[in-house]
Amino acid sequence: MVLLRQQQQPRKRSSSSFVPSCPPPKIPKPQNDIGTAVDAVEKMVSILAEGGCTLVNPLGPPSLPSDPYKLRRQLSRLFSSTDDRSVFLSGFSSYIQSSSNLRRVLMSSNGSNFGPARSESLVRHLLLVAPIQLDLQIMLLEKLPEYFDVVPGDSQTSLSLEDDVSRLIINQFRWLDFVVDPSSFTDKLLQVLSICPLHLKKEIIGSLPEIIGDQNNKTVIDSLEQMLHEDPSVIVPVLDSFSNLNLDDQLQEQVITIALSCIRTIDAEHMPCLLRFLLLSATQLNVRRIISQIREHLKFVRTPHNRTMQKNKLKGKLVVDNTEASVLDALRSSLQFKSLLCQEILKELNGLEKPRDHKVIDMWLLILLYTNGESMRKSVEKVFKKKIVEGCIQEVMLDQCIRGNKELAQEYFLSFLSLSEYILACKEQKARDFGIYMYTLLFEEFADTYSRQEVSINIFLSLKIRFIFSKRLSCGFVQVLGALVTHVGSAVSFEVTSALQIMASLASKHARELIPLSYHINGILDYLEGLTVENLYKVYEVFSHMALLARSSADCLGSSIANELFIIVRKQVGHPDLKYKKMGLIGILKIVSCLGVESNVTSSSPFQKSNAEEAVELLETGLESCKQSCLSLIFFYDELTAILESTTLHPIIMDWIGKHLGEFESIFLSDLDGGQLPSRIPYCGLEGELWMNLDGEMSPICLNILPLASSSQNASLQFLPANFHLLSTVEQLTNQGSLGGIDALLGCPMLLPSSKYFLEAEWQSLTGKQKQIICLSLYYAMNWIRELLNAFCTQVDGRFECISQTSKDDIMQKLLKRMRNLVFLESLLSHSIRMCPVTLPQLHLRVEHCGSTFINQPNHVGNKEKKNEPKMRPESTSPNKRKHKKTSKTSAIGTDGNLHQQTLFDVLRKAGAVTSQEVPDKVSSKDMATSTSVDHNSHVFNESVLIEVSPVSQALESQKFRFRPLLLECFSILTFSKDHDTCCSDPVAELPLYLYLIHDLQHKLDYFAAPTKQCSSRNSIAAAVTRMTLDEFLSKIRPLFQSLKSNLDSSFCILKEGEGNKTCQEHWKFQSTAAGNPDLTNVVPSNSSISTMVFKEILNCFSKMLNLSEVQRYRSVLSDLLEAFQPDKALDSGSLDVHPCPSPGTIEYLYLGACSFVECILDAVCSFSFILASEALFTLESAVTSFQKVMDKLDGDDKIIQSAFHQILTLLRGRLASSAKKLLKHKWDNKNLENGWKNKGEMVQKILRTYLEYDESISDLLDELACTILPQVSLTTMAEDEDYGFPTLCSATFLSWYRVLFEVNLTVLGKLVKEVVRLEKVRPGFQPVNVHTLLIRLQKNVNVVVALVSMCRTHDKVTLHAMAVKYGGKFVDSFLKAFDFLQVHFQMHNEAILLLVKELQKATRTIQTLCSEAKGLKQTVITSKIPATKRSLERFLFRVKALLHSTSNGCTFWMGNLKHKDLRGQVVSSQAYVDDGIDSIDEDPEGAVDVDPQGSVPSASENSENE
């Protein structure tokens, strides 16, 4: 007999009421003789009676003896030794033919009063009699089909256990003490199981582990698998059975495979059980397969099962949601019990690279891991952010989780909210945008008060805690969500920006829902001064929407919000400090933009002002507060203009603006008589003259610049451009885009100082005040023209159809002339400022809209206006007088001849960039004296000094942020046709105009190319650019691509012709005269310098545009850009070694064409300019980098396309390396070098680095240059006429080459170390060939560093020694990271590894000597790098010792004091008498390694005597 393993008690199971529609076939009954049957029954009864069992019991089941174990022993002996066994079985079979008798023997017996408390049936006791067990089992199983149809088919209730004979029979087989023949019994049971009805089949399957034990698991699993294929509805009991079977590893894997195959076919209601089984069965070997299959086949969508919907028609979607909730609960509970699952899920998600590989279930898995506990939250947050930034988790996935699925997501609401907080605090803009979307979605979907309050409090608490930390205040809200403290208390502005962006979005859609939460919102108004300008706009936008809704309702709470908001902004605009005044103006204008919309004109009460009237009153308040401050008024005009361009305001407001602008003519304009001044009156002793009159005698008006600049009303000129900007915007809005009502301003002249003052004699006769008036007059005229261009360029860009073609042509001609006026004025102003330094007044108050500048930042140049700006009234300039006096007293050399401390003002004034405002009409005598002294030492206006026409002026560049910005509409000038009625078609006459615009375009590109960097170019960017997105910017400059290429071709042709083609000076004069410029013979363009600048600027613009992320993402923009820069001759793609050949028009074809175009330019400019050739090379490198980024973003579906891209990339990299090599090997003469090799070290470094990094065999190239080429230079006199194969390698560029070789070698070593470490992790055992290859590559790196360091022995430059110490230490650091790899393979490659150590110690000994000498000579350039290098050398020493000690090759190691030698190997005899000898021993630990009799390896610090 076989004993069964004792198992746990079976779980209680409920029976199903389902019965199959047709009864299954029954097992045939045996035909016995009646008499024989009676005798057999009597014999059976007597046998039981002899054992103390009374079978016939009228009161119930048979009565068992008090000792049933005695009955079993007696029956076992009887049936083993006599023939009564067959008679007993026959009698028992006959007895149970009656269903009542069968039920009696199956029911539990009570036994005697003194018997055991546990009662079992008679059949149960008989089954424990070994000789008859198998026969009884088969007999009972054959009886089982007779009771399949006991339950009616339409019954919805199940029978009790006492009434259900089939279940009673199965119950007898559970937990038997032993099974005599498990195989036969199992076969018979499975045979009967195959024909059982569903409810009984489930019962039996679930009980199989309790019935058959562990002997036939393979048979059971195979049979259950077959049943699953036939009827998937038995999946739940099958899984229960699998869970309770004691399986070996092979069968367990088979069971997992069966379960995984059911994921695709299982009913939704059974999915939780299947997932729970799979996850709890996971082991280290199969966990990855389980997770992958679940992710692949679990379709987490709300598609109900047909039978479930038919059964639950009234419940509808709720049942489906409950099923999904059960699935999530099963996943969550399983993840809680198995930490292995959590780690594997994160690994699985981290391994996914493409967005298409991510599914909704991934989002839920992250949420479940995040919900389960604190231990996994950090890891989940990192993965979640990474996937968002990579674009793998997208908004549509979040929608599928939450939108329309509130009941399912409700339980995980706080987890979603917490993740939103984390994502919102990330630095990456993409992550913050996703966090904004999460917050908005949570607020919209969870409409209950609690959820919305949680979302709102979280957002506003983020804002408040950020200020709490900066101001060290306390707030009760901190206790509500203390978890926010760690990330929102970091005082990072972009977190606040994102939070306010959410609230602005919610306020525009759900203002009514936010009003009850105003208690939390109003607190932000207490912290406005800590916000950036961009965030101020968002705050006021939130409150403006709430105030608008409040005014249209009678709610007292809402009314209080509006009243409080109005009170705050009125207080702010009334504040004398410009910082607070700007805050109030922002608030007023944002409120006006909300209240003043034409559709929002109602009010809740007839006694209340309308929204439009309230807006007009606010505008009047703001305007009145600005009358004492020019900069405030400029800011007011510019922001009001921005509102008009984006919002349609009510006619009442437009009428008020029109009335205010009616004063423009009386303030700034005067009448002309036949195009001439009616009288000539001097202004402050200066004669006036009409400049730049484009309309001639027809001009009725002129602009009064000189009269205003020389009077007490000079401040009005400061807001003139902003006032005109507002005027032109209103004119366009009221006349369908046409500026016909003010077109006289485009051609009207300007009253400026007479041009005679720009001659030498006249200029020197002027006083300091008069010179300042002249400079300021030019400055105001220049900015007036800038605003004219901004306004009238909108008339020719095709935006408005109401303008006739004749008008457009006339405007185009005038715009070109105005551009010539602008270039002329700026060149003249630049030269004038160099002779008379003056601080220009600020005409544009820069407002940062990207969240990087605080409005109250103390040291920002844009926020010094209150202290230094000119006031509207002359008596308010007294503080400036005191300031000037103080400055004069602290000048470098006083009037008494004594030396005084030089101030910052003096330094900046000498550089032509003064940072403080000066008032032109209030100049003291000392100022005049200073100005005169400056004039005496500066250039003067005379005919021998040429004033170059160039927009790139160093004297004005530092003050460009004060200018009025050029808007993007001005770039349309680049697209104008070049038809000139002149004596020749000289492009030089037009290039200065285009250069001016291209230079400005590059500044705007700098803003978008590095949005997080605070570069100087960002400080002078127009608000119109900061307000727009990069997509909008690209859409506006997209038409310019072909014009840029045309101008590049023009400048290239001029440069190629060189000095042989004399510029037609008459052409420039003719165009200048036609534009109304004064006839100054010394103001001429320089064709070479302008063409060079155009060439460089366009290439720079092309490079920056190629590497903009949006350009790479939008193929249409990228195609247009590349299409514009194609070569004149079509590219022959068939000649390229690329398969398949790229088709014309594809991205890869266009990249090849653009690179070929740049290569052609590079080859041509090599003949006359090293600088231009370098610019072309850098442009080519940008194109290759851009192609690499585009290739990285390719979808991985099409392998052919990817292969073609890889081939093209390899081709382009090779071309780039060849071009860099060509520049390095080109023989440059002094004429082409532009002032020789001086100041070209950085450029040579970039070229050399490009050559090295893009070469295919970089290690061999490094080895050649460092070991062969560079030592020749260091051992010679380093004369520039020496040729070492690289003409760019000379004494002036030697250090540049040295630095680059060190840095690139370090980069190569770092990549090699990473490769070694990665391969060691993936494949612990390397093939010997691979190890040998890696050691060879490592040896080349060591050879390079040894050669470079050894040059210090023959080169005395301290800078060279400092680089050797610095980079030598870094090399040792990187080398040590590969020491584990060397130690693993030391036994098989000991010779190669020992050679590495020996060679490297040649460099370390030299570095030790360099450190010692630098300390003795007190060379601070070197000594600052010694500590880090010393630590690296000591680590190397002990790692070598550990390496040799751990090997069993008999190596010995010792350290000792060696002789002190200098770089040339001479013993330093004085060290015995120097007091710091002990220090030198401590600083230079020395030792040696005796490896074997054939050689030794000195330690890292050894100075061997035979050196």
Side-chain angles (χ1 to χ4, degrees), residues 682-745:
Y683 305 95
C684 288
L686 295 174
E687 295 182 12
E689 182 179 316
L690 290 179
W691 286 38
M692 303 170 183
N693 186 357
L694 304 185
D695 294 333
E697 297 179 356
M698 298 176 58
S699 180
I701 53 175
C702 72
L703 188 67
N704 289 327
I705 294 181
L706 178 59
L708 292 175
S710 58
S711 67
S712 60
Q713 297 181 353
N714 61 82
S716 59
L717 287 173
Q718 196 170 346
F719 62 80
L720 164 64
N723 196 328
F724 174 72
H725 189 198
L726 178 61
L727 173 64
S728 61
T729 302
V730 172
E731 181 70 18
Q732 285 181 337
L733 292 175
T734 55
N735 291 282
Q736 300 180 347
S738 173
L739 293 177
I742 58 173
D743 59 352
L745 294 175

Side-chain angles (χ1 to χ4, degrees), residues 51-70:
C53 175
T54 305
L55 182 61
V56 181
N57 183 7
L59 300 179
S63 179
L64 297 177
S66 59
D67 188 3
Y69 303 104
K70 182 179 179 181

Side-chain angles (χ1 to χ4, degrees), residues 648-662:
T648 302
L649 297 181
H650 193 269
I652 296 177
I653 303 176
M654 297 301 295
D655 290 342
W656 179 88
I657 297 175
K659 291 178 181 178
H660 173 71
L661 292 174

Side-chain angles (χ1 to χ4, degrees), residues 417 421 424 439 443 452-468 475 477-478 481 484 488 495-496 498-507 513-515 517-525 527 531 538-543 546:
L417 190 60
E421 299 165 13
L424 199 67
Y439 266 117
F443 189 90
R452 286 190 165 176
Q453 183 172 346
E454 284 292 316
V455 175
S456 302
I457 290 179
N458 268 270
I459 298 171
F460 282 104
L461 187 59
S462 299
L463 302 173
K464 296 180 74 173
I465 293 180
R466 179 249 186 272
F467 298 121
I468 288 165
C475 178
F477 289 115
V478 181
L481 291 172
L484 291 174
V488 298
E495 298 181 28
V496 183
S498 300
L500 284 172
Q501 185 175 343
I502 299 171
M503 293 314 302
S505 175
L506 294 179
E513 289 81 358
L514 289 179
I515 288 179
L517 305 174
S518 60
Y519 174 76
H520 309 294
I521 301 175
N522 290 343
I524 300 178
L525 297 174
Y527 304 99
L531 290 174
K538 290 183 172 64
V539 169
Y540 283 119
E541 182 179 355
V542 172
F543 284 95
M546 296 172 63

Side-chain angles (χ1 to χ4, degrees), residues 1117-1243:
V1117 179
L1118 180 59
S1119 298
D1120 289 349
L1121 178 60
L1122 294 172
E1123 183 71 34
F1125 287 84
Q1126 295 295 300
D1128 296 333
K1129 184 179 179 181
L1131 182 67
D1132 183 13
S1133 58
S1135 62
L1136 303 174
D1137 189 16
V1138 178
H1139 302 285
C1141 295
S1143 303
T1146 60
I1147 289 295
E1148 56 269 31
Y1149 180 89
L1150 294 175
Y1151 264 109
L1152 284 170
C1155 291
S1156 298
F1157 170 73
V1158 178
E1159 281 183 280
C1160 294
I1161 290 180
L1162 187 149
D1163 293 339
V1165 297
C1166 278
S1167 61
F1168 55 83
S1169 175
F1170 172 77
I1171 294 178
L1172 296 184
S1174 303
E1175 291 292 338
L1177 179 70
F1178 302 151
T1179 303
L1180 182 61
E1181 183 179 9
S1182 297
V1184 176
T1185 303
S1186 174
F1187 185 80
Q1188 172 77 60
K1189 294 177 180 178
V1190 171
M1191 190 185 72
D1192 293 340
K1193 297 177 182 179
L1194 281 178
D1195 197 354
D1197 289 337
D1198 197 334
K1199 301 298 182 182
I1200 298 178
I1201 295 179
Q1202 281 196 333
S1203 174
F1205 268 78
H1206 278 289
Q1207 295 178 57
I1208 294 173
L1209 179 62
T1210 303
L1211 177 65
L1212 293 179
R1213 289 174 64 91
R1215 287 184 177 181
L1216 179 59
S1218 300
S1219 298
K1221 182 179 180 180
K1222 182 183 300 183
L1223 262 65
L1224 294 173
K1225 286 182 168 289
H1226 188 78
K1227 185 67 174 179
W1228 302 96
D1229 53 28
N1230 292 331
K1231 179 180 178 181
N1232 297 338
L1233 281 177
E1234 296 94 350
N1235 300 325
W1237 290 109
K1238 186 178 180 181
N1239 300 327
K1240 292 183 177 59
E1242 185 177 353
M1243 196 172 295

Side-chain angles (χ1 to χ4, degrees), residues 208-209 212-214 217 220-221 240-247:
L208 283 177
I212 63 174
D214 302 332
N217 288 340
V220 172
I221 291 173
D240 286 341
S241 182
F242 286 163
S243 300
N244 293 322
L245 289 174
N246 186 20
L247 305 175

